[in-house]
């Protein structure tokens, strides 16, 4: 089962840990199958145990050593973060195992021929396997314990499993040293130690898989959160870009429409009506008044009204500094009213009338010269964008009215010149008639003489 699970994980994750857990499980399974075939096959009479025993012990001991080596190397990430250390451990341990196996495999049949019915424990190759395995497992155990003391996450079941394998090897060395006099006592203990080590390794691997799963899930959740944050950021940026583009298009379209209105030959009243109607519609305002500055008597004259209740009653003039329009004209600075007095500038319709909640008065200036004052009222607060649009528009409106005033003055001058020319023509005709009369009298006097 361990081989199947670790093999599947190895195929999916391509991890060295899973690979060597798989190899350790295969080596351990192969060792147990080899022992089962040796005992069961000879018991059933399929082959002679003596013939099988000529090559079986070295192979079984090598497989046992490889299980310990592969298990230790697979979990070396608990013991060391240095890849070079892990690689040296695997290479040296495997090399020692292979060397001992080949030396023992070639020497054991000859030794068995000269010493029939002797136990493999009495052969020097067994002791070499046990000493080498004890050193390898001891190094792995010391590494795991040292790193756990330093705060590295090393599983207790892993330490117990390696300890049981090491104790198994040490008890076998003791068995060999006592010439197997206590084998009846030591053998059951050794076999149980070997069997007990397996659940500890499985527990370590299962726990590690669960830890990896939780870690991966946490990373996935974190990555998902990052993606959501990134999507939110991108969405916010896209929305901002779209908003900025829409706002830019709103400004550009409004300026183009206003410029179209400002073109052409119009009277001041007609121009004020169209400008006032456009601004109120474009800014969703409700009421408006346009005051034109009269340079001769230095006053403001109402020339256009929009949706003002009782409109004609508001017609009149404001001197500089008189009322809010006069104050704006005098200081050439805007005035904002968020608390509008009752009946200050009521918005009227066929359904009734109501007071606006917000009033703004702007000076219409051209090169700091006063052209007029614009007053707008709304049921809601004017936004920053609306105020920016108004500020951008005032200069164009001022230029248009200045051009219109200049055109009006030119027309007046032309009319004056035409009137003067007509007077000169009449005077010239009168002079000519007088001259003709004088000439006629002169001729008559000459004839009388």
């Amino acid at each position: 089962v361990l081989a199947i699970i670790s093999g599947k994980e190895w195929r999916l994750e391509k991890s060295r840990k899973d690979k060597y857990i798989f190899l350790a499980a295969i080596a351990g399974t192969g060792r147990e199958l080899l022992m089962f075939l040796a005992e069961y096959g000879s018991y059933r009479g399929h082959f002679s145990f003596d013939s099988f025993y000529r090559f079986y012990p070295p192979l079984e001991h090598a497989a046992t050593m490889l299980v310990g080596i592969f298990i230790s190397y697979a979990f070396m990430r608990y013991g060391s973060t240095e890849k070079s250390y892990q690689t040296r451990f695997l290479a040296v341990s495997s090399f020692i195992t292979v060397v001992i196996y080949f030396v023992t495999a070639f020497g054991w049949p000859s030794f068995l021929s000269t010493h029939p019915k002797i136990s493999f424990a009495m052969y020097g190759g067994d002791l070499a396997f046990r000493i080498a395995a004890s050193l390898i497992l001891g190094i792995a155990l010391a590494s795991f314990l040292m790193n756990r003391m330093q705060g590295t996450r090393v599983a207790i079941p892993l330490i117990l499993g390696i300890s049981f394998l090491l104790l198994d090897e040490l008890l076998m060395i003791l068995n060999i040293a006592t010439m197997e006099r206590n084998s009846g006592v030591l053998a059951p203990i050794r076999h149980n130690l070997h069997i007990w080590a397996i659940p500890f390794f499985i527990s370590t691997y299962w726990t590690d898989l669960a830890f990896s799963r939780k870690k991966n899930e946490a990373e996935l959740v974190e990555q998902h959160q990052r993606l959501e944050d990134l999507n939110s950021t991108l969405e916010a940026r896209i929305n901002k870009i779209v908003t900025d583009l829409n706002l830019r298009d709103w400004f550009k379209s409004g300026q183009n429409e206003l410029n179209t209105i400002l073109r052409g030959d119009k009277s001041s009243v007609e121009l004020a009506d169209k400008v006032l109607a456009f601004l109120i519609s474009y800014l969703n305002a409700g009421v408006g008044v346009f005051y034109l500055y009269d340079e001769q008597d230095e006053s403001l004259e109402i020339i256009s009204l929009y949706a003002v209740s009782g409109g004609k009653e508001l017609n009149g003039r404001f001197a500089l500094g008189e009322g809010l329009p006069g104050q704006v004209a005098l200081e050439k600075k805007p005035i904002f009213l968020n608390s509008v007095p009752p009946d200050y500038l009521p918005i009227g319709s066929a359904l009734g009338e109501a007071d606006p909640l917000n009033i703004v008065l702007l000076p219409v200036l051209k090169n700091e010269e006063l052209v007029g004052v614009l007053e707008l009222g709304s049921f809601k607060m004017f936004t920053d964008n609306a105020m920016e649009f108004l500020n951008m528009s005032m200069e164009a409106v001022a230029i248009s009215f200045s051009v219109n005033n200049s055109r009006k003055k030119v027309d007046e001058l032309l009319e004056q010149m035409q009137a003067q020319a007509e007077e000169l023509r009449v005077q010239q005709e009168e002079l000519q008639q007088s001259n003709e009369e004088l000439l006629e009298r002169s001729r008559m006097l000459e004839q009388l003489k």
Side-chain angles (χ1 to χ4, degrees), residues 2-40:
L2 183 60
I4 292 172
I5 299 298
S6 58
K8 181 180 178 181
E9 291 294 320
W10 175 30
R11 183 171 58 85
L12 294 176
E13 302 294 335
K14 306 298 181 185
S15 170
R16 278 195 165 192
K17 177 197 67 180
D18 298 322
K19 173 183 177 181
Y20 282 93
I21 290 290
F22 171 74
L23 292 176
I26 291 297
T29 303
R31 172 186 178 276
E32 298 302 327
L33 288 175
L34 188 65
M35 295 176 66
F36 174 77
L37 288 175
E39 297 181 4
Y40 184 76

Side-chain angles (χ1 to χ4, degrees), residues 312-329:
K312 292 191 177 294
E313 297 178 4
L314 295 177
N315 288 348
R317 288 180 175 270
F318 290 85
L320 294 182
E322 180 185 357
L324 292 177
Q327 195 65 34
V328 171

Side-chain angles (χ1 to χ4, degrees), residues 328-348:
V328 171
L330 179 63
E331 296 181 356
K332 298 180 180 178
K333 293 181 180 179
I335 291 179
F336 304 94
L337 292 179
N338 296 328
S339 299
V340 181
D343 298 326
Y344 171 74
L345 193 64
I347 302 175

Side-chain angles (χ1 to χ4, degrees), residues 372-406:
V373 172
L374 175 68
E375 184 174 10
L376 297 178
S378 176
F379 288 125
K380 60 183 180 179
M381 296 291 294
F382 287 104
T383 64
D384 293 339
N385 293 327
M387 295 307 305
E388 185 178 354
F389 181 81
L390 282 173
N391 291 327
M392 291 171 57
S393 304
M394 287 304 96
E395 185 176 0
V397 172
I399 292 173
S400 180
F401 273 94
S402 295
V403 170
N404 192 63
N405 290 334
S406 298

Side-chain angles (χ1 to χ4, degrees), residues 138-433:
I139 291 172
L141 181 61
S143 177
F144 292 142
L145 289 173
M146 185 181 303
N147 282 274
R148 181 175 175 82
M149 292 173 61
Q150 294 175 354
T152 306
R153 192 181 71 87
V154 181
I156 293 294
L158 173 63
I159 294 176
L160 291 175
I162 296 294
S163 299
F164 282 7
L165 291 183
L166 176 59
L167 185 58
D168 176 23
E169 300 297 338
L170 293 176
L171 289 177
M172 189 59 196
I173 292 174
L174 177 62
N175 184 53
I176 294 173
T178 58
M179 303 298 291
E180 295 190 307
R181 286 193 296 269
N182 300 315
S183 60
V185 177
L186 297 177
I189 297 176
R190 287 181 50 249
H191 286 302
N192 276 279
L193 287 172
H194 202 84
I195 293 173
W196 292 343
I198 296 174
F200 287 128
F201 293 139
I202 293 176
S203 173
T204 301
Y205 185 60
W206 256 238
T207 302
D208 187 66
L209 284 180
F211 177 79
S212 299
R213 290 285 189 276
K214 291 182 179 179
K215 184 178 179 181
N216 292 336
E217 289 175 1
E219 290 178 354
L220 287 175
V221 171
E222 184 178 357
Q223 291 177 359
H224 181 69
Q225 185 62 43
R226 288 179 180 176
L227 286 175
E228 286 187 350
D229 294 341
L230 180 60
N231 288 335
S232 299
T233 303
L234 289 176
E235 185 177 355
R237 289 181 180 177
I238 292 173
N239 289 337
K240 186 178 183 305
I241 292 173
V242 171
T243 301
D244 291 343
L245 290 175
N246 290 337
L247 183 60
R248 189 181 304 173
D249 183 66
W250 182 78
F251 273 102
K252 187 176 180 180
S253 299
Q255 292 295 316
N256 291 337
E257 290 183 40
L258 181 60
N259 290 334
T260 301
I261 292 172
L262 296 176
R263 290 195 205 101
D265 188 8
K266 302 179 182 69
S267 66
S268 297
V269 174
E270 182 183 3
L271 184 60
D273 287 342
K274 290 184 176 297
V275 168
L276 197 58
F278 167 74
L279 291 176
I280 290 175
S281 173
Y282 205 69
L283 301 179
N284 295 321
V287 66
V289 180
F290 196 96
Y291 306 85
L292 188 64
Y293 180 61
D294 188 346
E295 294 181 356
Q296 293 181 355
D297 58 5
E298 295 184 347
S299 64
L300 295 172
E301 180 187 2
I302 298 177
I303 64 170
S304 180
L305 298 171
Y306 187 95
V308 178
S309 179
K312 292 191 177 294
E313 297 178 4
L314 295 177
N315 288 348
R317 288 180 175 270
F318 290 85
L320 294 182
E322 180 185 357
L324 292 177
Q327 195 65 34
V328 171
L330 179 63
E331 296 181 356
K332 298 180 180 178
K333 293 181 180 179
I335 291 179
F336 304 94
L337 292 179
N338 296 328
S339 299
V340 181
D343 298 326
Y344 171 74
L345 193 64
I347 302 175
S349 71
L351 300 178
E353 64 178 39
D355 295 329
L357 300 178
N358 190 25
I359 296 289
V360 58
L361 295 96
L362 296 171
V364 183
L365 302 174
K366 177 192 175 186
N367 298 327
E368 296 302 319
E369 292 183 3
L370 184 65
V371 175
V373 172
L374 175 68
E375 184 174 10
L376 297 178
S378 176
F379 288 125
K380 60 183 180 179
M381 296 291 294
F382 287 104
T383 64
D384 293 339
N385 293 327
M387 295 307 305
E388 185 178 354
F389 181 81
L390 282 173
N391 291 327
M392 291 171 57
S393 304
M394 287 304 96
E395 185 176 0
V397 172
I399 292 173
S400 180
F401 273 94
S402 295
V403 170
N404 192 63
N405 290 334
S406 298
R407 186 184 299 114
K408 182 178 179 181
K409 290 180 179 179
V410 170
D411 291 341
E412 290 176 354
L413 289 174
L414 287 175
E415 289 178 0
Q416 291 178 5
M417 291 177 64
Q418 289 175 356
Q420 291 174 357
E422 182 65 23
E423 289 178 1
L424 288 173
R425 186 183 63 79
V426 171
Q427 291 176 1
Q428 186 178 6
E429 289 179 353
E430 290 176 351
L431 288 173
Q432 186 176 0
Q433 186 176 0

